[in-house]
Protein backbone atom coordinates (compact mmCIF):
# COMPACT_ATOMS: atom_id res chain seq x y z
CA UNK A 1 0.00 0.00 0.00
CA UNK A 2 1.45 3.36 -1.04
CA UNK A 3 0.25 6.94 -0.79
CA UNK A 4 1.79 9.96 -2.44
CA UNK A 5 1.40 13.52 -1.22
CA UNK A 6 3.00 16.45 0.54
CA UNK A 7 4.09 15.97 4.13
CA UNK A 8 1.77 18.08 6.28
CA UNK A 9 4.57 19.66 8.30
CA UNK A 10 7.28 20.14 5.67
CA UNK A 11 5.29 20.36 2.39
CA UNK A 12 7.93 17.98 0.96
CA UNK A 13 6.46 15.58 -1.65
CA UNK A 14 6.78 12.02 -0.30
CA UNK A 15 5.81 8.48 -1.13
CA UNK A 16 4.68 6.63 1.97
CA UNK A 17 4.63 2.84 2.00
CA UNK A 18 2.75 0.70 4.55
CA UNK A 19 3.29 -2.94 5.34
CA UNK A 20 1.62 -5.06 7.99
CA UNK A 21 -0.18 -2.09 9.50
CA UNK A 22 2.85 0.12 9.94
CA UNK A 23 4.67 2.76 7.92
CA UNK A 24 7.58 0.88 6.32
CA UNK A 25 9.19 3.67 4.31
CA UNK A 26 8.91 7.38 3.55
CA UNK A 27 10.76 8.43 0.40
CA UNK A 28 11.20 12.05 -0.65
CA UNK A 29 10.11 12.72 -4.21
CA UNK A 30 11.61 15.40 -6.38
CA UNK A 31 8.90 16.84 -8.57
CA UNK A 32 8.76 20.06 -10.57
CA UNK A 33 6.80 22.86 -8.91
CA UNK A 34 3.37 22.66 -10.58
CA UNK A 35 3.24 18.89 -10.04
CA UNK A 36 4.41 19.13 -6.43
CA UNK A 37 1.80 21.69 -5.39
CA UNK A 38 -0.93 19.71 -7.15
CA UNK A 39 -0.35 16.77 -4.82
CA UNK A 40 -2.74 16.17 -1.91
CA UNK A 41 -1.49 16.44 1.66
CA UNK A 42 -0.45 13.51 3.83
CA UNK A 43 -0.78 13.70 7.60
CA UNK A 44 -1.04 11.45 10.65
CA UNK A 45 -4.66 10.75 11.63
CA UNK A 46 -6.33 13.34 13.84
CA UNK A 47 -6.61 12.86 17.61
CA UNK A 48 -9.48 14.57 19.42
CA UNK A 49 -9.57 14.71 23.22
CA UNK A 50 -13.27 15.39 23.35
CA UNK A 51 -15.88 13.59 21.29
CA UNK A 52 -19.32 13.08 22.84
CA UNK A 53 -20.70 10.99 20.01
CA UNK A 54 -22.17 11.47 16.54
CA UNK A 55 -25.19 10.67 14.40
CA UNK A 56 -27.66 10.74 17.33
CA UNK A 57 -25.54 8.45 19.49
CA UNK A 58 -24.06 9.82 22.73
CA UNK A 59 -21.33 8.06 24.65
CA UNK A 60 -23.24 9.32 27.72
CA UNK A 61 -26.40 7.44 26.65
CA UNK A 62 -27.57 5.11 29.41
CA UNK A 63 -28.51 2.65 26.64
CA UNK A 64 -25.01 2.75 25.09
CA UNK A 65 -24.01 -0.57 23.50
CA UNK A 66 -20.85 -1.89 21.87
CA UNK A 67 -22.55 -1.58 18.47
CA UNK A 68 -23.41 2.06 19.11
CA UNK A 69 -19.79 2.81 20.02
CA UNK A 70 -18.61 1.11 16.83
CA UNK A 71 -21.14 3.13 14.79
CA UNK A 72 -19.69 6.38 16.16
CA UNK A 73 -16.11 5.27 15.53
CA UNK A 74 -16.97 4.37 11.92
CA UNK A 75 -18.63 7.78 11.49
CA UNK A 76 -15.44 9.54 12.63
CA UNK A 77 -13.05 7.84 10.19
CA UNK A 78 -14.22 9.74 7.05
CA UNK A 79 -13.29 12.90 8.95
CA UNK A 80 -9.69 11.75 9.35
CA UNK A 81 -10.16 11.06 13.07
CA UNK A 82 -8.22 7.90 13.90
CA UNK A 83 -7.76 8.48 17.61
CA UNK A 84 -10.03 9.96 20.26
CA UNK A 85 -11.04 10.19 23.85
CA UNK A 86 -14.73 9.28 23.98
CA UNK A 87 -16.21 11.78 26.41
CA UNK A 88 -18.81 11.07 29.08
CA UNK A 89 -20.38 14.12 30.67
CA UNK A 90 -22.04 14.69 34.06
CA UNK A 91 -24.49 11.91 34.83
CA UNK A 92 -25.44 9.51 37.63
CA UNK A 93 -22.70 7.20 38.86
CA UNK A 94 -24.69 4.23 37.57
CA UNK A 95 -24.96 5.73 34.07
CA UNK A 96 -21.27 6.68 33.97
CA UNK A 97 -20.26 3.22 35.14
CA UNK A 98 -22.38 1.68 32.38
CA UNK A 99 -20.82 3.95 29.73
CA UNK A 100 -17.25 3.16 30.76
CA UNK A 101 -18.01 -0.56 30.97
CA UNK A 102 -19.36 -0.54 27.42
CA UNK A 103 -16.29 1.36 26.20
CA UNK A 104 -14.07 -1.22 27.93
CA UNK A 105 -16.02 -4.08 26.33
CA UNK A 106 -15.75 -2.41 22.92
CA UNK A 107 -11.97 -2.16 23.26
CA UNK A 108 -11.66 -5.73 24.54
CA UNK A 109 -13.76 -7.15 21.71
CA UNK A 110 -12.51 -5.08 18.75
CA UNK A 111 -8.81 -4.43 18.30
CA UNK A 112 -9.39 -1.61 15.80
CA UNK A 113 -11.64 0.19 18.30
CA UNK A 114 -9.04 -0.26 21.03
CA UNK A 115 -6.51 1.25 18.64
CA UNK A 116 -8.73 4.31 18.11
CA UNK A 117 -9.70 4.77 21.77
CA UNK A 118 -6.50 5.96 23.37
CA UNK A 119 -8.24 6.89 26.58
CA UNK A 120 -11.53 8.19 27.86
CA UNK A 121 -12.45 11.70 28.97
CA UNK A 122 -14.68 12.20 32.00
CA UNK A 123 -16.09 15.74 31.73
CA UNK A 124 -17.84 16.36 35.04
CA UNK A 125 -19.65 15.58 37.27
CA UNK A 126 -17.50 17.75 39.59
CA UNK A 127 -18.27 21.07 37.89
CA UNK A 128 -19.95 24.39 38.65
CA UNK A 129 -23.63 24.28 39.60
CA UNK A 130 -24.23 27.73 38.12
CA UNK A 131 -26.17 28.28 34.92
CA UNK A 132 -23.67 29.27 32.25
CA UNK A 133 -20.51 27.60 33.54
CA UNK A 134 -22.45 24.35 33.84
CA UNK A 135 -23.33 24.52 30.13
CA UNK A 136 -25.56 21.67 29.02
CA UNK A 137 -24.59 19.40 31.93
CA UNK A 138 -27.61 18.33 34.06
CA UNK A 139 -27.68 20.08 37.46
CA UNK A 140 -29.20 17.04 39.20
CA UNK A 141 -26.01 15.06 38.74
CA UNK A 142 -23.40 17.72 39.59
CA UNK A 143 -21.60 16.66 42.77
CA UNK A 144 -18.52 17.11 44.94
CA UNK A 145 -15.22 15.43 44.07
CA UNK A 146 -14.91 11.85 45.24
CA UNK A 147 -11.75 9.79 44.75
CA UNK A 148 -13.67 6.62 45.63
CA UNK A 149 -16.22 7.33 42.92
CA UNK A 150 -13.49 8.02 40.39
CA UNK A 151 -11.71 4.77 41.26
CA UNK A 152 -14.94 2.87 40.66
CA UNK A 153 -15.34 4.45 37.22
CA UNK A 154 -11.68 3.92 36.38
CA UNK A 155 -12.08 0.22 37.20
CA UNK A 156 -15.21 0.02 34.98
CA UNK A 157 -13.24 1.46 32.08
CA UNK A 158 -10.34 -0.96 32.51
CA UNK A 159 -8.11 1.98 33.51
CA UNK A 160 -8.89 3.90 30.33
CA UNK A 161 -9.87 7.25 31.86
CA UNK A 162 -6.91 9.47 30.93
CA UNK A 163 -8.47 12.92 31.16
CA UNK A 164 -10.88 14.47 33.69
CA UNK A 165 -12.39 17.94 33.40
CA UNK A 166 -13.53 19.51 36.66
CA UNK A 167 -14.16 22.88 38.28
CA UNK A 168 -11.46 23.85 40.81
CA UNK A 169 -14.05 25.37 43.17
CA UNK A 170 -15.71 21.98 43.73
CA UNK A 171 -15.19 20.79 47.31
CA UNK A 172 -12.35 18.24 47.41
CA UNK A 173 -10.84 19.40 44.09
CA UNK A 174 -7.23 19.82 45.24
CA UNK A 175 -6.93 16.32 46.75
CA UNK A 176 -8.78 14.89 43.76
CA UNK A 177 -6.40 16.53 41.26
CA UNK A 178 -3.36 15.44 43.27
CA UNK A 179 -4.61 11.85 43.36
CA UNK A 180 -5.38 11.67 39.65
CA UNK A 181 -2.13 13.37 38.65
CA UNK A 182 -0.18 10.84 40.74
CA UNK A 183 -1.93 8.11 38.75
CA UNK A 184 -1.12 9.64 35.33
CA UNK A 185 -4.63 10.94 34.69
CA UNK A 186 -4.51 14.44 33.24
CA UNK A 187 -6.75 16.96 35.00
CA UNK A 188 -8.34 19.81 33.08
CA UNK A 189 -10.12 22.93 34.27
CA UNK A 190 -13.53 23.54 32.74
CA UNK A 191 -17.19 24.39 33.35
CA UNK A 192 -15.94 26.62 36.13
CA UNK A 193 -16.58 29.92 37.85
CA UNK A 194 -13.47 29.60 40.04
CA UNK A 195 -11.67 32.55 41.59
CA UNK A 196 -7.96 33.26 41.13
CA UNK A 197 -6.87 31.34 44.24
CA UNK A 198 -8.86 28.28 43.22
CA UNK A 199 -7.36 28.27 39.69
CA UNK A 200 -3.86 28.64 41.17
CA UNK A 201 -4.47 25.80 43.65
CA UNK A 202 -5.71 23.50 40.90
CA UNK A 203 -2.62 24.17 38.77
CA UNK A 204 -0.36 23.69 41.78
CA UNK A 205 -2.10 20.35 42.41
CA UNK A 206 -1.36 19.25 38.83
CA UNK A 207 -4.07 20.54 36.44
CA UNK A 208 -2.55 20.95 32.97
CA UNK A 209 -5.32 21.90 30.53
CA UNK A 210 -8.15 24.40 30.18
CA UNK A 211 -11.02 22.52 28.54
CA UNK A 212 -12.73 24.39 25.66
CA UNK A 213 -11.36 27.73 26.84
CA UNK A 214 -13.96 30.50 26.58
CA UNK A 215 -16.94 28.15 26.62
CA UNK A 216 -18.75 26.60 29.57
CA UNK A 217 -18.41 30.03 31.15
CA UNK A 218 -20.52 32.86 32.52
CA UNK A 219 -22.06 35.16 29.94
CA UNK A 220 -21.01 38.22 32.04
CA UNK A 221 -17.71 38.56 33.92
CA UNK A 222 -15.89 41.26 35.89
CA UNK A 223 -13.25 42.77 33.58
CA UNK A 224 -10.48 41.53 35.90
CA UNK A 225 -9.64 39.43 37.65
CA UNK A 226 -11.61 36.56 36.19
CA UNK A 227 -11.01 32.89 35.51
CA UNK A 228 -10.27 33.51 31.82
CA UNK A 229 -7.29 35.81 32.51
CA UNK A 230 -6.16 33.49 35.32
CA UNK A 231 -6.02 30.51 32.99
CA UNK A 232 -4.66 32.41 30.00
CA UNK A 233 -1.78 33.77 32.10
CA UNK A 234 -0.79 30.37 33.54
CA UNK A 235 2.04 28.84 31.46
CA UNK A 236 1.52 25.36 32.93
CA UNK A 237 -1.96 25.16 31.40
CA UNK A 238 -2.49 24.20 27.77
CA UNK A 239 -5.78 25.41 26.34
CA UNK A 240 -8.19 23.52 24.13
CA UNK A 241 -10.53 25.53 21.95
CA UNK A 242 -13.42 24.74 19.61
CA UNK A 243 -12.74 26.73 16.41
CA UNK A 244 -15.92 25.62 14.65
CA UNK A 245 -16.96 29.18 13.79
CA UNK A 246 -19.68 29.24 16.48
CA UNK A 247 -18.06 28.62 19.88
CA UNK A 248 -15.51 31.44 19.92
CA UNK A 249 -14.86 34.51 17.78
CA UNK A 250 -11.60 34.95 15.89
CA UNK A 251 -10.26 37.35 18.53
CA UNK A 252 -10.49 34.69 21.26
CA UNK A 253 -8.80 32.05 19.09
CA UNK A 254 -6.02 34.54 18.28
CA UNK A 255 -5.56 35.54 21.93
CA UNK A 256 -5.31 31.90 23.05
CA UNK A 257 -2.78 31.23 20.32
CA UNK A 258 -0.72 34.30 21.22
CA UNK A 259 -0.85 33.68 24.97
CA UNK A 260 -0.25 29.92 24.91
CA UNK A 261 1.75 29.55 21.71
CA UNK A 262 1.08 26.88 19.09
CA UNK A 263 2.83 24.22 21.19
CA UNK A 264 0.29 24.65 24.00
CA UNK A 265 -2.90 25.04 22.01
CA UNK A 266 -5.21 22.09 21.39
CA UNK A 267 -7.98 21.95 18.81
CA UNK A 268 -11.05 19.91 19.76
CA UNK A 269 -14.37 19.60 17.97
CA UNK A 270 -16.26 18.66 21.16
CA UNK A 271 -18.71 17.03 18.78
CA UNK A 272 -22.15 16.57 20.21
CA UNK A 273 -23.94 13.26 19.86
CA UNK A 274 -26.02 15.20 17.35
CA UNK A 275 -23.07 16.03 15.09
CA UNK A 276 -23.99 14.88 11.62
CA UNK A 277 -27.76 15.11 12.31
CA UNK A 278 -30.20 17.28 10.30
CA UNK A 279 -31.84 20.33 11.99
CA UNK A 280 -34.51 19.51 14.59
CA UNK A 281 -35.12 18.85 18.28
CA UNK A 282 -33.66 15.69 19.76
CA UNK A 283 -33.76 13.95 23.14
CA UNK A 284 -30.21 13.94 24.56
CA UNK A 285 -28.55 12.56 27.68
CA UNK A 286 -28.89 15.79 29.68
CA UNK A 287 -32.25 16.98 28.26
CA UNK A 288 -33.52 18.18 24.89
CA UNK A 289 -31.09 19.66 22.39
CA UNK A 290 -31.71 21.38 19.09
CA UNK A 291 -29.75 21.32 15.86
CA UNK A 292 -30.22 24.74 14.22
CA UNK A 293 -30.23 25.50 10.51
CA UNK A 294 -26.83 27.23 10.77
CA UNK A 295 -25.23 24.09 12.23
CA UNK A 296 -25.15 25.21 15.88
CA UNK A 297 -26.35 22.74 18.52
CA UNK A 298 -28.01 24.34 21.55
CA UNK A 299 -29.90 23.37 24.67
CA UNK A 300 -33.49 23.39 23.35
CA UNK A 301 -35.62 26.43 24.19
CA UNK A 302 -32.84 29.05 24.14
CA UNK A 303 -30.04 30.28 21.90
CA UNK A 304 -27.35 31.38 24.37
CA UNK A 305 -25.78 28.11 25.53
CA UNK A 306 -24.26 25.74 23.02
CA UNK A 307 -24.38 21.99 23.65
CA UNK A 308 -21.25 20.82 21.88
CA UNK A 309 -20.56 21.27 18.21
CA UNK A 310 -21.93 19.89 14.99
CA UNK A 311 -18.50 20.00 13.38
CA UNK A 312 -15.84 17.32 13.34
CA UNK A 313 -12.14 17.74 13.99
CA UNK A 314 -10.95 18.36 10.43
CA UNK A 315 -13.49 21.19 10.10
CA UNK A 316 -12.08 22.70 13.30
CA UNK A 317 -8.49 22.46 12.01
CA UNK A 318 -9.65 24.36 8.93
CA UNK A 319 -11.63 26.70 11.19
CA UNK A 320 -8.50 27.46 13.22
CA UNK A 321 -6.67 28.40 10.02
CA UNK A 322 -9.55 30.63 8.93
CA UNK A 323 -9.94 32.30 12.34
CA UNK A 324 -6.28 32.93 13.11
CA UNK A 325 -4.46 32.87 9.76
CA UNK A 326 -2.04 30.11 10.80
CA UNK A 327 -0.97 27.58 8.20
CA UNK A 328 -1.63 23.86 7.97
CA UNK A 329 1.78 22.91 9.37
CA UNK A 330 0.96 24.84 12.56
CA UNK A 331 -2.72 23.84 12.84
CA UNK A 332 -2.59 20.08 12.24
CA UNK A 333 -0.39 19.21 15.28
CA UNK A 334 -2.92 20.99 17.51
CA UNK A 335 -5.29 18.14 16.74
CA UNK A 336 -2.65 15.44 16.73
CA UNK A 337 0.76 15.58 18.40
CA UNK A 338 0.00 18.25 21.01
CA UNK A 339 -2.98 16.43 22.58
CA UNK A 340 -1.03 13.16 22.21
CA UNK A 341 1.90 14.55 24.17
CA UNK A 342 -0.43 15.94 26.84
CA UNK A 343 -1.61 12.38 27.52
CA UNK A 344 1.92 11.00 27.36
CA UNK A 345 1.32 9.35 23.97
CA UNK A 346 3.60 10.05 21.06
CA UNK A 347 3.52 6.99 18.89
CA UNK A 348 1.50 7.87 15.79
CA UNK A 349 3.63 10.24 13.75
CA UNK A 350 4.46 10.00 10.05
CA UNK A 351 7.53 7.96 10.89
CA UNK A 352 8.81 4.57 9.83
CA UNK A 353 7.69 1.91 12.30
CA UNK A 354 4.68 3.87 13.55
CA UNK A 355 1.14 2.55 12.92
CA UNK A 356 -0.07 3.56 9.47
CA UNK A 357 -2.90 5.85 10.59
CA UNK A 358 -2.69 8.28 7.71
CA UNK A 359 -4.96 10.89 6.15
CA UNK A 360 -4.68 12.07 2.57
CA UNK A 361 -6.60 15.27 1.92
CA UNK A 362 -6.98 18.45 -0.13
CA UNK A 363 -6.82 21.97 1.22
CA UNK A 364 -9.15 24.09 -0.90
CA UNK A 365 -8.63 27.73 -1.90
CA UNK A 366 -11.19 28.65 0.76
CA UNK A 367 -9.11 26.83 3.39
CA UNK A 368 -11.48 23.92 3.88
CA UNK A 369 -10.21 20.36 4.28
CA UNK A 370 -11.57 17.64 2.02
CA UNK A 371 -10.55 14.15 3.06
CA UNK A 372 -9.66 11.78 0.20
CA UNK A 373 -8.38 8.66 1.94
CA UNK A 374 -7.99 7.44 5.51
CA UNK A 375 -5.82 4.52 6.59
CA UNK A 376 -6.20 2.85 9.96
CA UNK A 377 -3.33 0.45 10.69
CA UNK A 378 -2.60 0.41 6.97
CA UNK A 379 -6.16 -0.55 5.97
CA UNK A 380 -8.20 1.79 3.80
CA UNK A 381 -11.19 2.76 5.93
CA UNK A 382 -12.30 5.68 3.77
CA UNK A 383 -11.71 6.64 0.14
CA UNK A 384 -9.88 4.69 -2.50
CA UNK A 385 -6.23 5.32 -1.68
CA UNK A 386 -5.35 6.65 -5.13
ZN1 LIG B 1 -17.99 20.96 28.02
Amino acid sequence: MQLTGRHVETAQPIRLTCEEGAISSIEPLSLPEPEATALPWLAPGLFDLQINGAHDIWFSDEQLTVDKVLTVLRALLPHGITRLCPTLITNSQRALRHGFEVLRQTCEQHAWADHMISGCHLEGPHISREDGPRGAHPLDHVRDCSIAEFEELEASSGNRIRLVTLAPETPGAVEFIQHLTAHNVVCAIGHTAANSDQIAAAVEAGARLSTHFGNGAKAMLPRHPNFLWDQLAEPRLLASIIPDGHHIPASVAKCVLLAKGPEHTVITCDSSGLAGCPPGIYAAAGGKCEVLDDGRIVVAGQRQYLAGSGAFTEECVAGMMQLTGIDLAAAWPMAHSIPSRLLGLNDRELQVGHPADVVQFQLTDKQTIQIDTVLLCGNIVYGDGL
Side-chain angles (χ1 to χ4, degrees):
M1 176 72 208
Q2 289 190 324
L3 289 176
T4 302
R6 283 175 287 169
H7 192 297
V8 71
E9 288 181 38
T10 62
Q12 163 75 45
I14 54 169
R15 181 184 296 118
L16 185 146
T17 307
C18 314
E19 285 172 51
E20 297 178 2
I23 298 172
S24 56
S25 77
I26 299 175
E27 303 159 66
L29 299 176
S30 45
L31 294 174
E33 196 42 49
E35 265 182 75
T37 47
L39 286 174
W41 294 93
L42 287 179
L46 294 164
F47 177 25
D48 202 308
L49 292 177
Q50 193 160 357
I51 291 201
N52 298 282
H55 294 200
D56 205 12
I57 298 171
W58 298 76
F59 291 126
S60 292
D61 178 6
E62 296 187 28
Q63 313 301 324
L64 188 71
T65 61
V66 170
D67 280 347
K68 286 183 179 176
V69 176
L70 297 177
T71 300
V72 175
L73 298 183
R74 286 193 193 99
L76 299 176
L77 289 167
H79 298 278
I81 304 163
T82 57
R83 196 175 210 186
L84 71 146
C85 290
T87 301
L88 269 63
I89 68 163
T90 302
N91 209 335
S92 69
Q93 178 73 353
R94 186 181 53 78
L96 291 172
R97 203 170 50 229
H98 170 75
F100 285 121
E101 270 169 15
V102 170
L103 287 163
R104 174 178 56 76
Q105 289 164 6
T106 307
C107 291
E108 287 173 355
Q109 293 168 17
H110 301 274
W112 67 272
D114 191 39
H115 183 75
M116 286 183 73
I117 296 176
S118 282
C120 299
H121 182 171
L122 172 61
E123 190 191 15
H126 317 305
I127 57 167
S128 170
R129 293 174 191 274
E130 291 183 46
D131 287 345
R134 200 181 70 251
H137 290 232
L139 177 60
D140 287 352
H141 296 304
V142 173
R143 50 195 182 270
D144 294 352
C145 291
S146 163
I147 292 171
E149 192 176 318
F150 172 78
E151 290 298 341
E152 194 187 338
L153 295 177
E154 183 67 312
S156 309
S157 75
N159 292 321
R160 286 181 174 79
I161 303 175
R162 302 297 305 272
L163 178 62
V164 174
T165 295
L166 73 156
E169 68 271 33
T170 310
V174 166
E175 297 76 17
F176 188 81
I177 294 168
Q178 285 170 338
H179 177 85
L180 268 60
T181 302
H183 290 81
N184 286 325
V185 178
V186 175
C187 287
I189 295 172
H191 291 279
T192 180
N195 63 33
S196 302
D197 290 343
Q198 290 163 335
I199 298 279
V203 174
E204 205 51 47
R208 288 295 173 264
L209 175 72
S210 298
T211 284
H212 52 52
F213 183 88
N215 295 112
K218 287 184 181 181
M220 299 288 284
L221 284 173
R223 67 197 187 291
H224 51 70
N226 66 51
F227 55 81
L228 295 176
W229 291 117
D230 292 332
Q231 292 179 76
L232 212 50
E234 172 51 69
R236 287 171 289 181
L237 286 175
L238 281 74
S240 74
I241 52 174
I242 311 170
D244 65 342
H246 299 301
H247 276 77
I248 47 169
S251 58
V252 174
K254 286 177 185 169
C255 283
V256 169
L257 190 58
L258 288 167
K260 297 295 176 185
E263 288 293 313
H264 293 89
T265 302
V266 173
I267 292 171
T268 179
C269 69
D270 192 14
S271 74
S272 152
L274 299 179
C277 291
I281 295 178
Y282 296 81
K288 283 187 177 160
C289 289
E290 188 171 359
V291 180
L292 304 179
D293 289 336
D294 65 4
R296 283 182 300 156
I297 298 176
V298 295
V299 177
Q302 55 84 54
R303 294 289 182 267
Q304 188 175 8
Y305 297 122
L306 298 169
S309 85
F312 291 100
T313 319
E314 93 285 20
E315 295 169 73
C316 290
V317 171
M320 187 70 177
M321 296 169 68
Q322 294 160 18
L323 289 175
T324 66
I326 59 169
D327 65 10
L328 189 61
W332 196 273
M334 294 176 190
H336 170 63
S337 50
I338 294 164
S340 299
R341 270 204 298 275
L342 175 67
L343 296 197
L345 309 163
N346 208 10
D347 53 347
R348 310 263 177 98
E349 299 294 333
L350 283 193
Q351 285 179 26
V352 172
H354 285 214
D357 297 348
V358 182
V359 185
Q360 187 186 47
F361 62 93
Q362 314 277 342
L363 185 66
T364 69
D365 294 341
K366 290 186 175 162
Q367 303 246 290
T368 62
I369 289 174
Q370 290 177 358
I371 309 281
D372 291 336
T373 299
V374 180
L375 302 186
L376 186 72
C377 292
N379 296 313
I380 298 177
V381 288
Y382 178 74
D384 55 17
L386 292 174

